[in-house]
Amino acid sequence: MATNRSILWRLLFGLGAVGIVGALALGLLVAREYGFTIDMLADAGSRLGVAIEFRDHVLFPLLILIVPMALAATWVIQRSLAPLDSAARAVDHAGAGERGFRIDKAELPREALPFVASVNALLDRLDCAARDQECFAADVAHELRTPLSVLALEAERLDGAVGERLRADILAMRRLIEQLMILAQLDADTAARQPRTAVKLADVAADVAALLAPSAIANGCEIAVEADGAPEVSGRREAIAAAVRNLAENGLRVTPRGGTVTLRAGPGPVIAVEDGGPGLGVDRLALLRNRHGRGAHASHDGAGLGLAIVDRIAAAHGARLETVPESHLLRLCFPVAAARQDGVSKVV
């Protein structure tokens, strides 16, 4: 099994080996020069003389030579590797969605340049692959808009349950396409490092509640908004609203008739949706927001496809999607972007 030993450890080990070999060589030379023999070691006085000679001509010279060399080499190695530590910190601080990040080679030692060049080339390939994927998703979403609009017009001619179900499916597909377009735009802004705007979470909650009020009435539910000291956050308002809308729609699906879905903005940079359902466990949330596992588990009775999109929007804003099953809450926790706090209000 390989052991990752430091350069400093290897240097000290090498100097130690050189010291041992040098001591043996000097000892042989001193013994030959002064005519020391094995028989002289039997006499106590002779042993003392031999020890003094070895101390003066072998031990002291090696210590005077090796110890300063070890200290100097340690200092040089630490100074030489300091740029690598700085580069590692820069990589750690780079955001998960940050595009165009490359390791700066200006201050790195020459021996590390081939490795850094390979890493930067890998980052180039990853950026290109991500950009191609985003462009593909945006193109597909854009091309689907026109046929869906035509299909929606044709569906208006159908009456009965079949027409109603078809119109509902078309509406769901249009919403999904809108969200894909928002995600593509969000990724493009992140790649271009576009400045974010200040978003009031209370306003987002109120807008989403007003938009979903007809659906809540159709489901026999109520939808409410509570704002309690929610600060502004930095991001794209459309994307945050899309995420909150997904959470609210999931809440309406699991809330029985006569129940209430509450959108809470605050306290702090948090926007949460409380529903009347059974609550979503942490393990199931982790499963449903995984885009590779959502298809087999999504249903009309619980959280489904939207959670993968919500999780992606949250990650793009540096936020976290969390669940509090005992309180029937799904919430987005954002980093604070401004110190100004909104007043406390309640809208039903």
Side-chain angles (χ1 to χ4, degrees), residues 110-251:
R110 183 177 302 174
E111 292 77 7
L113 293 183
F115 175 75
V116 174
S118 298
V119 173
N120 286 339
L122 175 61
L123 292 175
D124 284 332
R125 295 194 293 272
L126 292 176
D127 279 355
C128 290
R131 192 179 303 111
D132 292 342
Q133 183 180 10
E134 291 161 8
C135 292
F136 175 76
D139 292 341
V140 170
H142 181 73
E143 293 298 328
L144 285 176
R145 279 181 166 180
T146 300
L148 275 180
S149 298
V150 174
L151 185 60
L153 292 175
E154 295 295 331
E156 292 295 334
R157 302 178 182 179
L158 299 177
D159 298 327
V162 175
E164 184 178 351
R165 185 167 61 251
L166 181 59
R167 286 189 292 271
D169 291 340
I170 294 173
L171 181 61
M173 292 179 64
R174 293 181 68 174
R175 281 213 52 244
L176 179 59
I177 290 174
E178 291 173 0
Q179 291 171 336
L180 289 175
M181 293 295 293
I182 290 175
L183 287 176
Q185 184 62 45
L186 188 65
D187 290 336
D189 290 347
T190 301
R193 301 183 182 180
Q194 294 290 336
R196 304 289 180 87
T197 59
V199 180
K200 294 183 178 180
L201 296 179
D203 291 348
V204 171
D207 291 345
V208 172
L211 184 64
L212 296 182
S215 299
I217 295 173
N219 291 340
C221 301
E222 295 182 358
I223 187 166
V225 177
E226 295 182 0
D228 183 10
E232 292 179 341
V233 299
S234 176
R236 284 182 57 86
R237 183 187 177 96
E238 298 86 354
I240 296 175
V244 176
R245 180 178 175 181
N246 274 335
L247 296 180
E249 286 180 337
N250 286 334

Side-chain angles (χ1 to χ4, degrees), residues 6 9 20 30 33 86-87 104-105 124 128 140 160 183 190 197 233 256 262 281 306 310:
S6 67
W9 185 92
I20 292 174
V30 169
E33 179 70 22
S86 300
D104 187 10
K105 300 184 293 184
D124 284 332
C128 290
V140 170
L183 287 176
T190 301
T197 59
V233 299
T262 304
V310 173

